[in-house]
Amino acid sequence: MQSLEDWSAAIDAAAARIKGRVARTELRRADHLSAQFGVPIWLKLENRQITGAFKLRGATNALLALDDETRSRGVTTASTGNHGRALAHAARAAGTRCVVHISSLVPGNKVAALKEEGAEIRVVGRSQDEADVAARALARDEGLAYIPPFDHADVIAGQGTIGREILEDLPEPELVLLGRVAEVHRHPPIPWWARTRPRLVPAPPSTSVAKRARRRYTWARHSQVLPMPPWTWMAVSHTERADRAQ
């Protein structure tokens, strides 16, 4: 897909496909942050998604987009945790097999979450790349569908439903900040922004000392640093637009 029209259609189709299987998360007005920065700020709470991260959207859409025969054979992927958990959740709901390849460096809490979702776990090497090679080999040898964490049109379209929901709840945002969203950063022509043209800004992980205490995401504005919760999107609107959305 290259055109905005193609991506827009794919995201609309994804929204219909995952409806009822993925939480439509809240877009909440952040009063304290709004007062601190002098603009209305809203948080898209993807940390409250069913599996704890936005990854469920893309994994569910990609799995459901498979034809019945392919889906019945099962799916596989390589993951550091969140995508694998999401794909396992979607596969269990669809009644099909899910094999998740991880490296030996994936922490125990992520492994436990994968097990809770019913994933078959295979530990391969000490890097995501090694796990990915093994997942692709399994797909080739056993006929499973390989669904990667990000570089896949149906995964991207599924994640794009976040932006669709933001525009439904807060028309014409001025600025949208993204925390850890590789799909959007790699594929900048996001169609739902084409209607209003707000600025779209990836918020990179903080390198501050505070990061060692807890994971944080930052937005620098007038030399200030704003911590963002993991897996949360932020929308900044003009005051009058925010008033209309309340």
Side-chain angles (χ1 to χ4, degrees):
M1 283 180 287
Q2 298 294 328
S3 71
L4 293 178
E5 291 76 15
D6 288 342
W7 278 113
S8 183
I11 291 172
D12 288 343
R17 197 175 285 128
I18 69 177
K19 185 177 181 180
R21 296 173 180 263
V22 171
R24 192 188 190 289
T25 55
E26 178 185 4
L27 185 67
R28 178 183 295 180
R29 169 75 176 255
D31 292 333
H32 177 73
L33 295 178
S34 298
Q36 180 180 352
F37 288 92
V39 291
I41 293 176
W42 303 74
L43 301 178
K44 180 65 170 167
L45 302 183
E46 282 297 293
N47 54 324
R48 295 193 174 184
Q49 191 52 257
I50 295 169
T51 57
F54 72 95
K55 293 284 187 175
L56 184 59
R57 295 171 180 269
T60 300
N61 185 54
L63 184 138
L64 294 179
L66 298 172
D67 63 74
D68 292 343
E69 181 181 352
T70 301
R71 186 167 55 248
S72 69
R73 292 196 296 267
V75 293
T76 186
T77 193
S79 174
T80 56
N82 287 321
H83 173 69
R85 181 182 181 185
L87 187 61
H89 180 94
R92 182 166 65 173
T96 195
R97 178 187 182 197
C98 179
V99 183
V100 179
H101 296 75
I102 61 175
S103 80
S104 60
L105 300 181
V106 172
N109 65 314
K110 296 289 184 71
V111 177
L114 287 169
K115 290 179 179 178
E116 289 175 3
E117 295 292 353
E120 296 178 36
I121 302 170
R122 300 189 182 183
V123 181
V124 182
R126 291 178 56 82
S127 73
Q128 176 79 353
D129 289 342
E130 291 174 278
D132 186 70
V133 169
R136 292 175 184 270
L138 180 68
R140 181 187 65 243
D141 296 342
E142 297 190 19
L144 276 67
Y146 171 72
I147 299 179
F150 48 84
D151 196 10
H152 186 288
D154 292 323
V155 172
I156 296 167
Q159 321 301 32
T161 60
I162 301 173
R164 189 178 190 272
E165 291 174 12
I166 289 176
L167 288 185
E168 288 174 348
D169 294 345
L170 186 68
E172 300 185 15
E174 181 181 357
L175 170 70
V176 175
L177 295 150
L178 320 175
R180 271 185 92 168
V181 186
E183 292 85 350
V184 173
H185 188 49
R186 289 177 178 220
H187 301 270
I190 304 301
W192 18 266
W193 305 132
R195 305 170 194 166
T196 56
R197 303 291 184 185
R199 286 188 293 154
L200 188 66
V201 181
S206 170
T207 56
S208 67
V209 175
K211 181 186 175 185
R212 292 193 288 267
R214 64 184 178 87
R215 191 170 294 277
R216 303 175 73 181
Y217 300 90
T218 63
W219 168 37
R221 181 177 183 268
H222 302 309
S223 300
Q224 295 174 305
V225 176
L226 178 65
M228 291 177 65
W231 314 114
T232 301
W233 291 41
M234 175 182 295
V236 181
S237 66
H238 295 299
T239 302
E240 64 273 18
R241 293 174 180 168
D243 290 342
R244 286 204 302 270
Q246 287 182 322

